[in-house]
Amino acid sequence: MSESAVGPLAAAAEKRAALAVARGICRLFARNEVWLFGQMPFRHGPRGEATMAVKKLFQGLTGRSGDTAHDADYGSVAVISPRDGARRLELLDDFETAGLGWMWATDADGRLIYISQSAAAKLGRPLDELLARPLVELFETDPDNAAERGSERPLKFQLSARNKLTAVTVRFISGAGGAGGRSAWWSISGHPKFDAGGRFLGYRGSAKDITLEYERALEDSRLAEYDSLTGLANRHRMTRRLEGTLAAYKAAKRSCTLMMLDLDRFKQVNDTLGHPAGDELLRQVAQRLVSIVGDRGEIGRLGGDEFQVILPDLDDRGKLGELAAKVIQIVSQPYSLEEGRAVIGTSVGLAVAPYDGVEREEIVRAADLALYAAKNGGRGAFRFYSSDLKDEAEERRELEDDLRRALDTEQLELHYQPVVRAADSMVVGCEALMRWEHPERGPIGPETFVGIAEESNLIVQLGEWALRRACEDAMAWPASVRVAVNVSAVQFASAGFATVVTNALEATGLAPERLELELTESVFMHDSDITDESFKMLKQLGVRLALDDFGTGYSSLSYLRSAPFDKLKVDKSFVDSCTQQDQNSAKIIAAIIGLSDALGMETTVEGVEAFDQLELVKSKGAKFIQGWIYAKAIPQEVLLERMGSGEFKIEPDGPDRHRPERRSVFRRIGIIHEDHRYEAVMRNLSKTGAHIDGLIGVTEGTGLVLDLGGGQLAVCKVNRVQDAQIAVEFETPLVSDGAGGLVTRHRVSPYALAAAGMPLAALPPGNYPLALGGEGKATKPQFLQVTVGR
């Protein structure tokens, strides 16, 4: 072909290509797949704005009006003709360089074959590092906020399905690069392209940077979901997360625990140090909770001093109890604030789905009831929900009214537990312990009613009565025997407490040095000036001061430096485990005694019950001991009888070795052996075993399953038999329920009961059998069941 013929042919080909590009772009605009100069996709009718813009663009690129019927005469206007390829490319480049939108294209394998140079620059990557790479390696839909962004499906799925893309929000994958690692968010639109034969050729589309808008939307969403003070999830988010988790876990037959907690004495921080100090305290509490819980769950602040923790896939009540105890310990340590030092505490309630409920409302109510029970049981404690928990708020109101009447009707009395000198077993003092025999409820422990008294301000009246009565009773004892009286932190901080002590001494004639006031670390949470003044006045009176429960709280040495204590009392919890090889309790006891000796103080070791404990604490230097190995707390008249001639000596009497506390009970339980279920009576219970009455024919070594009720099945082995009585040892030790009781770590799953035909619901109370043997009995009963009474 001659050179003269090539020119016209080339020009014609160029014109056809230009027209194809122009028509393609116009189709993209008309299909709403391109954002025109940063605006939203056009959706107007044929006479609207979109049509006019498309016509103008078509005119600029082809030199025609956009009406394919004819070309207009533009006179002297410098239109971009079909043959002016440079100006047509310049127009497209101007559009992309402005950063208002970019073009992109992929091949049939999803690899990027075109992207604007300005887009690559915006991402901070050279163009050649982006081209030829799969689009899904460069961009992804937001995996962290899919729910907030309309539950968008992954980009890979949408591309593989060859769906039309309309304003899909994607994130530039950080591993693919980016400007300094900064997140980039794009909105992309695109359309799958096919040839005349229907063969897929790839995607053609447009994109726009929406990073600022998207991050602003995420921040707005975050503010709506999170507490602005602590950064924790707020009530709205926790409610939604709990509902979603329980719904998903119900289908997957998984468990989830809800932990509720609020702060004890937080109001006093606000009242004494101010609300800014209270806000800072809440922030520090949140930080401590995050450090304890970590990634095991989500923590939220519901408002005020209420917090909530969602713990997925955790139903082991042993681990839950350990976690709750750690929360209480860490949260209760002192806080250093700009306005001063603060000491608070916390109480914890726990409920586990599906055992304690299936729906959100059930679990929240169960956790709330458990929390109230923990608070009313003495605070600074945890409690698991159980089906026998009543409405604790109503229960508390009733007990408060009853306590007022008890003060007026002499229902309260003091019992006294001797403190013995280890060297010669002589009694050197007695601790006054308050007892309440309710006419209908029976005995109510001080761990229950003292907390109620503190909240209702009855503690001042109650404490004054106890102080006066203890001083009166001590006047009948030998002059060498002191009386110790526990003083509540609320009572200690009340106005005129030193005057109350003075009046009690003057009214009874008791010598001040015979009165010992037992205080706990919580007295230091109040205004330091008031606390220091109270200490000063009490020491001027000549009374003795003892720091009780030493070693169980923060145990700051600054207490011992600033407060004039005469005695430290080693807490019973250390004595309970001091003879166990895997515990450090014996070393802690030795350290406390050594510290006390160095400071010129006395030390009393509490809770000694067995001779192996007695010998150990004596070997560590204990000079004064209090515990059941000498005597339990006894009424005044019994104490006077034992004092006899004026000297009071008690020889130790107890078991040779300490064993885990065994609680006396009278409780009907079920016993499962092979295919049979028997009814029996449990006489006592400890973490490691139980005594059971009511079965004849059982031999040592027999394996049994105890049905303790509420879905609690304890696997055990018989280790002793005497007539109809057996002793069993548990395969897995029981754990504390936080209220002085014992429970199994795990329970029968409601999912298993549902599979056996029961409706899916919280575990019913009482004993009930789990279908073990199917239809028919494979064996005959091997034991004889006998009726047992009290």
Side-chain angles (χ1 to χ4, degrees):
M1 185 179 295
S2 66
E3 186 176 342
S4 60
V6 172
L9 288 175
E14 183 180 340
K15 182 175 182 178
R16 286 195 300 272
L19 286 171
V21 170
R23 290 193 183 98
I25 293 175
C26 290
R27 281 197 300 272
L28 286 174
F29 277 109
R31 291 174 180 171
N32 298 341
E33 294 161 13
V34 179
W35 288 23
L36 183 59
F37 301 107
Q39 302 301 314
M40 291 296 291
F42 295 116
R43 302 184 186 277
H44 306 294
R47 296 181 182 275
E49 182 182 2
T51 302
M52 295 302 297
V54 170
K55 285 185 176 181
K56 289 181 179 179
L57 181 62
F58 188 83
Q59 172 186 331
L61 289 173
T62 66
R64 295 168 60 182
S65 64
D67 186 344
T68 57
H70 64 276
D71 290 327
D73 183 4
Y74 295 103
S76 61
V77 178
V79 298
I80 303 175
S81 70
R83 294 177 297 278
D84 195 346
R87 292 184 65 194
R88 283 188 287 107
L89 291 175
E90 181 183 2
L91 180 63
L92 186 58
D93 285 343
D94 287 344
F95 172 71
E96 294 186 330
T97 304
L100 301 173
W102 305 292
M103 302 297 178
W104 60 273
T106 69
D107 63 8
D109 294 324
R111 292 174 298 212
L112 197 64
I113 59 173
Y114 175 80
I115 191 170
S116 306
Q117 175 70 46
S118 56
K122 187 76 173 179
L123 295 174
R125 306 298 296 173
L127 187 60
D128 57 4
E129 290 188 12
L130 303 178
L131 292 175
R133 292 186 62 179
L135 191 67
V136 294
E137 288 186 4
L138 301 172
F139 295 95
E140 64 179 352
T141 47
D142 186 0
D144 299 322
N145 298 282
E148 288 79 354
R149 308 303 298 177
S151 299
E152 294 169 342
R153 288 180 169 178
L155 180 62
K156 185 176 183 179
F157 173 85
Q158 298 191 56
L159 293 176
S160 63
R162 298 176 184 174
N163 291 338
K164 178 181 177 180
L165 308 177
T166 303
V168 176
T169 300
V170 296
R171 177 175 64 182
F172 185 60
I173 299 174
S174 58
R182 179 179 178 272
S183 294
W185 301 95
W186 281 11
S187 177
I188 64 171
S189 296
H191 191 279
K193 181 176 177 59
F194 300 89
D195 64 12
R199 185 169 60 94
F200 177 62
L201 301 178
Y203 270 87
R204 307 293 183 264
S206 64
K208 180 179 184 293
D209 188 293
I210 58 166
T211 301
L212 292 179
E213 298 93 321
Y214 189 79
E215 290 182 344
R216 188 179 298 118
L218 285 182
E219 178 63 16
D220 291 343
S221 175
R222 193 194 72 81
L223 292 175
E225 296 272 314
Y226 291 89
D227 174 45
S228 59
L229 179 63
T230 62
L232 300 177
N234 61 18
R235 182 185 292 271
H236 168 71
R237 178 177 175 84
M238 292 299 286
T239 297
R240 190 164 55 79
R241 289 300 296 270
L242 184 59
E243 284 182 341
T245 299
L246 292 179
Y249 280 25
K250 187 193 302 184
K253 297 181 172 56
R254 295 161 65 183
S255 60
C256 178
T257 294
L258 181 66
M259 177 187 290
M260 302 282 288
L261 58 148
D262 65 11
L263 306 182
D264 301 330
R265 304 185 296 272
F266 174 72
K267 182 177 181 297
Q268 295 173 9
V269 175
N270 272 338
D271 293 344
T272 57
L273 300 181
H275 288 281
D279 289 347
E280 175 58 26
L281 177 62
L282 290 173
R283 282 190 285 268
Q284 292 191 30
V285 169
Q287 292 169 1
R288 293 187 186 186
L289 289 175
V290 170
S291 68
I292 299 167
V293 176
D295 58 2
R296 286 181 286 187
E298 178 158 8
I299 310 167
R301 177 183 173 228
L302 305 186
D305 64 346
E306 294 181 281
F307 295 84
Q308 190 180 76
V309 184
I310 300 173
L311 298 162
D313 295 315
L314 185 56
D315 64 358
D316 183 330
R317 289 188 287 185
K319 292 181 179 179
L320 287 170
E322 292 171 0
L323 179 61
K326 187 174 183 180
V327 166
I328 293 168
Q329 177 191 13
I330 300 300
V331 170
S332 300
Q333 292 185 6
Y335 295 80
S336 179
L337 309 174
E338 185 176 341
E339 294 80 0
R341 189 168 177 271
V343 180
I344 60 169
T346 188
S347 302
V348 176
L350 301 107
V352 187
Y355 306 91
D356 303 323
V358 177
E359 305 299 334
R360 184 189 68 84
E361 294 79 5
E362 293 178 291
I363 291 298
V364 170
R365 180 180 179 277
D368 273 334
L369 286 174
L371 175 59
Y372 284 130
K375 290 170 67 69
N376 294 334
R379 297 179 176 270
F382 68 87
R383 184 78 177 266
F384 290 110
Y385 170 77
S386 64
S387 57
D388 59 351
L389 284 181
K390 300 177 182 178
D391 185 334
E392 292 289 339
E394 180 62 30
E395 185 86 353
R396 181 195 171 284
R397 285 191 292 270
E398 291 178 3
L399 279 177
E400 181 181 328
D401 293 340
D402 291 347
L403 184 57
R404 293 181 189 277
R405 285 191 290 271
L407 275 168
D408 297 333
T409 57
E410 298 287 325
Q411 292 178 22
L412 297 168
E413 62 176 331
L414 294 181
H415 288 193
Y416 298 94
Q417 185 174 32
V419 178
V420 177
R421 187 165 53 217
D424 55 10
S425 298
M426 293 297 297
V427 175
V428 297
C430 292
E431 180 182 357
L433 300 170
M434 199 174 297
R435 297 290 184 261
W436 179 14
E437 187 70 26
H438 193 283
E440 298 174 358
R441 301 171 186 261
I444 299 177
E447 69 279 359
T448 298
F449 66 80
V450 168
I452 295 174
E454 287 182 332
E455 290 183 7
S456 61
N457 211 33
L458 278 173
I459 193 64
V460 175
Q461 184 182 352
L462 194 65
E464 186 172 354
W465 170 85
L467 190 62
R468 178 74 65 95
R469 175 61 59 85
C471 291
E472 288 176 357
D473 288 348
M475 287 297 294
W477 306 346
S480 60
V481 179
R482 296 191 292 263
V483 62
V485 181
N486 290 282
V487 177
S488 159
V490 176
Q491 181 187 5
F492 184 82
S494 63
F497 173 67
T499 302
V500 170
V501 176
T502 302
N503 293 340
L505 293 172
E506 291 179 350
T508 60
L510 186 72
E513 62 272 14
R514 291 187 60 200
L515 176 61
E516 192 168 85
L517 302 178
E518 294 194 4
L519 310 170
T520 61
E521 297 169 9
S522 55
V523 300
F524 296 98
M525 74 178 185
H526 296 283
D527 184 279
S528 58
D529 293 336
I530 296 176
T531 301
D532 292 343
E533 183 63 23
S534 295
F535 277 126
K536 180 179 178 182
M537 295 177 67
L538 292 172
K539 292 309 292 182
Q540 287 175 348
L541 283 175
V543 300
R544 291 167 54 86
L545 300 175
L547 183 56
D548 200 6
D549 301 336
F550 188 77
T552 59
Y554 188 63
S555 302
S556 170
L557 297 182
S558 63
Y559 296 161
L560 307 182
R561 180 185 63 189
S562 60
F565 288 109
D566 302 286
K567 175 189 286 188
L568 298 181
K569 298 194 73 175
V570 179
D571 189 72
K572 180 181 184 297
S573 60
F574 297 111
V575 177
D576 285 344
S577 55
C578 69
T579 57
Q580 298 177 18
Q581 293 183 356
D582 58 345
Q583 299 290 327
N584 287 319
S585 297
K587 297 176 182 177
I588 294 174
I589 292 172
I592 294 174
I593 293 173
L595 174 65
S596 184
D597 289 344
L599 295 174
M601 299 179 184
E602 289 182 3
T603 309
T604 295
V605 180
E606 297 183 283
V608 178
E609 299 178 0
F611 276 97
D612 59 341
Q613 293 176 323
L614 178 63
E615 294 306 317
L616 188 145
V617 299
K618 287 171 67 175
S619 71
K620 300 301 181 184
K623 297 182 177 63
F624 300 98
I625 296 171
Q626 181 178 350
W628 288 3
I629 196 168
Y630 289 108
K632 295 183 179 182
I634 53 180
Q636 169 77 351
E637 56 270 22
V638 177
L639 186 66
L640 293 177
E641 290 177 5
R642 292 191 179 182
M643 286 183 174
S645 62
E647 284 193 352
F648 191 15
K649 186 173 183 178
I650 304 178
E651 296 297 339
D653 182 22
D656 291 334
R657 299 181 65 80
H658 173 73
R659 63 178 181 178
E661 183 178 358
R662 192 176 291 276
R663 297 165 171 81
S664 296
V665 296
F666 185 88
R667 179 174 165 189
R668 299 196 181 277
I669 63 170
I671 298 180
I672 300 169
H673 179 252
E674 295 182 348
D675 300 319
H676 305 282
R677 178 185 176 89
Y678 307 86
E679 300 297 323
V681 170
M682 184 164 60
R683 293 288 190 180
N684 58 43
L685 179 69
S686 72
K687 289 185 177 181
T688 58
H691 282 172
I692 300 166
D693 199 355
L695 287 185
I696 295 177
V698 183
T699 58
E700 291 186 10
T702 301
L704 302 173
V705 177
L706 305 189
D707 180 358
L708 302 178
Q712 301 182 94
L713 299 181
V715 179
C716 59
K717 181 176 289 188
V718 177
N719 58 12
R720 190 166 67 254
V721 178
Q722 183 176 0
D723 299 327
Q725 297 181 347
I726 60 175
V728 300
E729 182 177 359
F730 296 132
E731 182 179 280
T732 302
L734 304 185
V735 297
S736 170
D737 68 351
L742 295 170
V743 293
T744 58
R745 283 182 173 268
H746 302 283
R747 290 172 280 179
V748 175
S749 171
Y751 299 126
L753 296 178
M758 293 180 63
L760 179 60
L763 290 172
N767 299 331
Y768 54 94
L770 181 68
L772 295 176
E775 296 297 329
K777 301 298 183 182
T779 61
K780 293 181 179 181
Q782 296 185 29
F783 313 135
L784 176 64
Q785 179 178 308
V786 297
T787 302
V788 177
R790 288 184 179 274

